[in-house]
Amino acid sequence: MAEPPDSPRPIALDGLGTDARPGPEIDAAIAAAAAGLSVELVGDRARLAPLLERRLDELGQREHAGAIHLVDAAEEIAMDESPARAVRAKPEASLCRAIDRVEIGAAGAMVSAGNSGAVLAAALFRLGRLPGIERPAIVANLPQLSVAPASGGVGADAVLLDAGANVECSALNLVQFAVLGATWSRAWHRVERPRVAILSNGHEPSKGTPATREAHRALTEHGQALGSAASSGFEFLGYIEANALFAGHCDVIVTDGWTGNVALKLAEGAMAAWPRMLAGALAGSSSSGGADAITSALAPALRKLGARLDPDTHGGAPLLGVDGPVILCHGAAGPEALHAALQMAHRFAEQGVFEALQRAVAEHRELFELVRRPR
Amino acid sequence: MAEPPDSPRPIALDGLGTDARPGPEIDAAIAAAAAGLSVELVGDRARLAPLLERRLDELGQREHAGAIHLVDAAEEIAMDESPARAVRAKPEASLCRAIDRVEIGAAGAMVSAGNSGAVLAAALFRLGRLPGIERPAIVANLPQLSVAPASGGVGADAVLLDAGANVECSALNLVQFAVLGATWSRAWHRVERPRVAILSNGHEPSKGTPATREAHRALTEHGQALGSAASSGFEFLGYIEANALFAGHCDVIVTDGWTGNVALKLAEGAMAAWPRMLAGALAGSSSSGGADAITSALAPALRKLGARLDPDTHGGAPLLGVDGPVILCHGAAGPEALHAALQMAHRFAEQGVFEALQRAVAEHRELFELVRRPR
C-alpha cells in the first residue's frame, strides 16, 4: 500500500455488495458524506449514477454530492460464485476495483457487503499480506459479562478471530492471530494490555490440537522471555474453554476459522432460540399467568442483547493481516450498518489503527520464529 | 460381549468416579436397588463396605442390600491422569474392573463419573469396538424449538455426536456417527425416521472440511441409492449451520469431537451468561423499575431450561460404538444424576437399544464402504 497522504482519503465502498444492492450502498454513501466522510462508490456507473442523483434529491442531501465520487466497475461477483475463480475471472468486478483503489492509495480503506470469500481473495491477490503474515483473519465481537459495579453486568466486548476466513489453521496462523487481535483490541477497544487466550477443549496445555498446543507453547515461551513485567503488548492467559467465552476473562479469543464460525453462529442461534424456549418454559410452568407480560417486558432488553452479537451493529468485521484496511459486512446489511462500516473504515485507515497493525507485525517477528513447523 | 441372559443383568457402577466419591455412588446404588435394579458397586471393598452398610441403615433401605453386590478393585484412576497410560498401568482400577464386568457378561452395562478419557480408553482396550466401527462417539442432547401447538415452543431434544471423544475425525468416523446417532435417536428418543445433518460452515456441499465433504457425499449417495421411499433408517438432510442447532430442524447432529465439545460448552456458557446480561440490559434500560421483579419471575423457567442442557438431567452421556453399553457422567454428578444414569444403562442394556446399535452397524456396511479414504 502507498504511504498515506496528509488529508483523509476517501473510503471505497463496493456499490454492488448487499442483497438489496445498490439501494443500501447509495443511502450509506449519502449518510457518510453528510457526516463528513469522502466516499468512492464503486460499481456500474450507468446503473448507479441516476439512482444516486435521485436519492440525493429525495433525501435533500444535494449539498453533499461532491463528497461522493463514482468509480466505474464493469462487472459484478455474485454471492454463490467460487471466490478465487470469480476474482481471477472478473478483475473489473466492483469489489476488485474497490480493493484496487486501496492498493493504489486512492482510497484509505474499503468496505464490501459482497461475497466475503471473494473480498478475501481479492485482498490477498491485490493488496497482499502484511510482511511475514501467512493468513489474514476476520474479527468478530463477543459480548462479555462484567463484575464491575457500574457495568450493569455487561462488560466491553471481546474480539474473536478468526471468525471464518480460514477453515484450517496452523500454529503460526494462531500465533499471528493473537498478535493481530491484541493489536486490534488495544487500538480499537482501547484495552491497554489485552488478555489473550486460545479456545480449546480443556485448560491443560496437553489439551487441544497439535496446532493449538504448538501455539500455546510459543506464546507461553514468548511471555516468559519477556518477563511478566515487560510490555509485550499483550498477556497470554493460555487456553479458554467455550463455556467461558462470555465470562469476561479475556479480551482476545484466538481460534481457527472453522471453530470461530461455529462459535459465533451458535451464539447467535442460542440468543435467538433462548427467549422462545424461555417463553415456552414460562407458559408451561404453574405460574404461567404472567408469561406473556414478562416476555413482552423483556423484548427491548432482548433486542439490545441481540444487537451486541450482530456484526452490523459494530459496523462490520475487519479483515486483519492484509496490507490495507478492509471491512466485511453482511449481505443483509442496511444503510445504517454500511454507514457504521464506513465510519469504522475511516477510523481504521486514518487514526493509527492500520499503522499499529503494521508495527505490531514487524515487532513480533521473533515470536513468529518461535513457532515450530509441523513435521 | 457375551450373549445377554434371560433375566436383567446388574449394572456395574464405578464406585470411585465422582469428585465426592464414594458418597454419591453409594447413595445412587441404594436408590437404584430400591427402584428394582441390581447394581455391582466396583471399588476398594475395605473402603466401600462399611460406608454402604452405614448408608443402608441411615436411609432405612436395609431390605435392598441384596441388590447391591460389591466388586473389589484395588486401584483408582484420578481425573488428571493420562487416560491411556493410566488404563494400561492400573488394570485393577475401579473403572477398568467395571468395564471388565461388562466384557465377561457379568454386568449388562457400566456407569462411571470418573476420568472420561480413561473410561473411553478402557472401553476401547477391553470391550473393543462394534465390528467395523473405527471410533466410538459420546452423545449429548441439544434442546430444540418446536412449532407444534401443544409443545409450548419446546420440542424433543436432538442428539449431537461426537461430544468430545475424538478431537480429529475422518469422513468414515462422521458417517459412522450418523448411523450410531440415528439408531440412538430411534431407539432412545423414539424418533421413527431421524433427520440427520452434519454441522458445517455453510449449506452448500462445497463448504466444510475435506472430512465433512466426503461424509456429505457418501451419505447423499447412500440416500439416493436407497431411494427416497426406502427406509434406510434415517434421512440425511445435508449440512446444518451452527445458528440452526436449536431450531428443531433435525434429530441428529454429526460433528467431530472438537467442534462438538466447543458447541456444547458454548451453549452452556451462553445459557449461563445470557440471563445475567439480560438483567444488566433491563437494569440499564429506561423502564428499569421492574428489572428485579422480572428476573426473579424468570428464575424457575431459567432453571428448567438450564437443566435441559445439563447432561446429568438425562442420566449421563452414552458412549456409542464400543462393544457394550457404557454411560459417562460428570465428576460433579450427585446421587440423583448417577441413579438416572443407572436407569439409562439398564434401558440401554436390557431394552433392545444396544442390540439395535449392533444391528444398525452390521446393516450399514455398504454405506461405510462408500466412504473414500483420504489420499
Side-chain angles (χ1 to χ4, degrees):
Chain A
M1 211 181 83
E3 285 302 297
D6 290 341
S7 70
R9 291 154 296 174
I11 309 301
L13 172 62
D14 175 2
L16 298 165
T18 64
D19 303 336
R21 61 191 173 277
E25 284 86 346
I26 287 172
D27 283 12
I30 294 172
L37 295 189
S38 171
V39 179
E40 290 194 341
L41 188 62
V42 186
D44 177 6
R45 185 195 297 269
R47 181 173 168 198
L48 296 182
L51 293 169
L52 174 61
E53 293 304 313
R54 201 179 72 202
R55 286 302 280 166
L56 282 166
D57 290 333
E58 282 173 358
L59 298 168
Q61 302 282 355
R62 168 67 50 196
E63 65 199 288
H64 300 298
I68 304 173
H69 176 63
L70 282 177
V71 173
D72 200 24
E75 294 170 305
E76 217 178 311
I77 292 177
M79 283 293 184
D80 57 358
E81 287 189 70
S82 163
R85 204 178 308 153
V87 165
R88 286 186 207 277
K90 297 179 174 174
E92 294 298 315
S94 57
L95 67 86
C96 295
R97 293 282 291 128
I99 289 278
D100 286 344
R101 299 301 291 170
V102 179
E103 202 273 324
I104 63 172
M110 84 84 86
V111 172
S112 175
N115 183 324
S116 60
V119 177
L120 178 63
L124 279 170
F125 296 163
R126 288 154 176 261
L127 288 177
R129 295 159 293 182
L130 289 175
I133 291 290
E134 276 209 342
R135 298 224 197 133
I138 297 169
V139 176
N141 291 279
L142 281 184
Q144 298 293 305
L145 287 170
S146 166
V147 291
S151 65
V154 182
D157 287 345
V159 296
L160 178 146
L161 71 173
D162 175 20
N166 312 281
V167 166
E168 287 172 295
C169 289
S170 68
L172 180 60
N173 297 152
L174 297 176
V175 167
Q176 295 187 332
F177 298 168
V179 171
L180 294 169
T183 308
W184 182 264
S185 175
R186 196 166 44 247
W188 193 266
H189 291 290
R190 310 206 187 287
V191 178
E192 206 179 315
R193 189 173 158 80
R195 299 160 299 168
V196 176
I198 299 174
L199 180 57
S200 187
N201 59 347
H203 280 287
E204 308 83 353
S206 62
K207 292 280 186 173
T209 64
T212 66
R213 283 192 291 273
E214 174 57 14
H216 188 293
R217 189 198 59 76
L219 286 166
T220 304
E221 275 184 24
H222 172 67
Q224 284 165 351
L226 290 164
S228 56
S231 165
S232 79
F234 61 90
E235 180 186 4
F236 179 57
L237 300 183
Y239 283 151
I240 188 172
E241 289 192 83
N243 53 3
L245 282 190
F246 305 101
H249 298 162
C250 61
D251 306 298
V252 179
I253 296 143
V254 170
T255 190
D256 62 86
W258 167 271
T259 309
N261 177 286
V262 167
L264 290 162
K265 286 198 179 144
L266 198 136
E268 186 195 310
M271 292 270 178
W274 208 90
R276 291 169 59 198
M277 288 185 180
L278 186 67
L282 280 168
S285 73
S286 51
S287 61
S288 65
D292 286 351
I294 290 173
T295 46
S296 66
L298 287 177
L302 287 176
R303 273 194 300 273
K304 207 162 133 183
L305 260 184
R308 296 192 60 206
L309 258 180
D310 182 352
D312 291 344
T313 309
H314 304 272
L319 178 66
L320 304 187
V322 290
D323 196 9
V326 174
I327 307 280
L328 303 166
C329 297
H330 276 166
E336 297 79 16
L338 290 176
H339 178 203
L342 289 167
Q343 294 289 350
M344 180 185 243
H346 173 71
R347 192 177 145 199
F348 192 170
E350 305 296 338
Q351 293 179 24
V353 180
F354 183 70
E355 286 79 359
L357 289 165
Q358 290 177 307
R359 250 194 335 270
V361 169
E363 285 168 5
H364 284 87
R365 291 259 164 83
E366 250 175 82
L367 166 60
F368 302 156
E369 278 160 22
L370 273 179
V371 182
R372 286 189 209 107
R373 306 298 166 132
R375 306 139 306 270
Chain B
M1 212 182 83
E3 285 301 300
D6 291 340
S7 70
R9 290 155 297 174
I11 309 300
L13 172 62
D14 175 0
L16 299 166
T18 64
D19 303 337
R21 60 191 173 276
E25 284 86 346
I26 288 171
D27 283 12
I30 295 172
L37 295 189
S38 173
V39 179
E40 290 194 340
L41 187 63
V42 187
D44 177 6
R45 184 195 299 271
R47 181 172 167 198
L48 295 181
L51 293 169
L52 174 62
E53 292 303 313
R54 201 179 72 201
R55 286 302 281 165
L56 281 166
D57 288 334
E58 281 172 0
L59 298 167
Q61 301 282 355
R62 168 67 50 196
E63 66 199 288
H64 300 298
I68 304 172
H69 176 63
L70 281 177
V71 174
D72 200 23
E75 295 170 304
E76 217 177 312
I77 292 177
M79 283 293 182
D80 57 359
E81 287 189 71
S82 163
R85 203 178 308 153
V87 166
R88 287 186 208 276
K90 296 179 174 174
E92 294 298 315
S94 57
L95 67 87
C96 295
R97 294 282 290 129
I99 290 278
D100 288 344
R101 300 300 291 169
V102 179
E103 201 274 324
I104 63 172
M110 85 82 86
V111 171
S112 175
N115 183 323
S116 59
V119 177
L120 178 63
L124 279 171
F125 297 162
R126 291 157 174 258
L127 287 177
R129 294 160 293 181
L130 289 175
I133 291 291
E134 276 208 343
R135 298 223 198 133
I138 297 170
V139 176
N141 292 278
L142 281 183
Q144 298 293 305
L145 288 169
S146 166
V147 290
S151 65
V154 183
D157 288 344
V159 297
L160 179 145
L161 71 174
D162 175 21
N166 311 281
V167 167
E168 288 172 294
C169 289
S170 68
L172 180 59
N173 297 151
L174 297 176
V175 166
Q176 294 186 332
F177 298 168
V179 171
L180 294 168
T183 308
W184 182 263
S185 175
R186 197 166 42 246
W188 193 265
H189 292 290
R190 310 208 188 284
V191 178
E192 206 177 315
R193 190 172 158 80
R195 298 160 300 168
V196 176
I198 299 174
L199 180 58
S200 187
N201 59 347
H203 279 287
E204 308 84 352
S206 61
K207 293 279 188 174
T209 64
T212 67
R213 283 194 290 273
E214 174 56 14
H216 188 293
R217 189 198 59 76
L219 287 165
T220 305
E221 275 185 22
H222 172 68
Q224 285 165 349
L226 289 164
S228 56
S231 165
S232 80
F234 61 91
E235 180 186 3
F236 179 58
L237 300 183
Y239 283 151
I240 188 171
E241 289 192 83
N243 54 3
L245 282 189
F246 306 100
H249 299 161
C250 61
D251 306 298
V252 179
I253 295 142
V254 170
T255 190
D256 62 86
W258 167 271
T259 309
N261 176 286
V262 167
L264 290 162
K265 286 196 180 144
L266 198 136
E268 187 194 309
M271 293 270 178
W274 207 89
R276 289 169 60 197
M277 290 185 179
L278 186 66
L282 280 169
S285 73
S286 52
S287 62
S288 64
D292 285 353
I294 290 174
T295 46
S296 67
L298 288 176
L302 287 175
R303 275 195 299 274
K304 207 162 135 184
L305 260 185
R308 297 192 58 206
L309 259 180
D310 182 350
D312 290 346
T313 309
H314 304 272
L319 178 66
L320 305 187
V322 291
D323 197 9
V326 173
I327 307 279
L328 304 165
C329 297
H330 276 165
E336 298 76 16
L338 290 175
H339 179 203
L342 289 167
Q343 293 290 349
M344 181 187 244
H346 173 71
R347 192 175 146 200
F348 192 171
E350 305 296 339
Q351 291 179 25
V353 181
F354 183 71
E355 286 79 1
L357 288 166
Q358 291 178 305
R359 247 192 337 268
V361 168
E363 285 168 5
H364 284 85
R365 291 257 164 84
E366 250 174 82
L367 166 61
F368 303 156
E369 278 159 22
L370 273 179
V371 182
R372 286 189 209 106
R373 304 300 166 130
R375 307 142 304 270

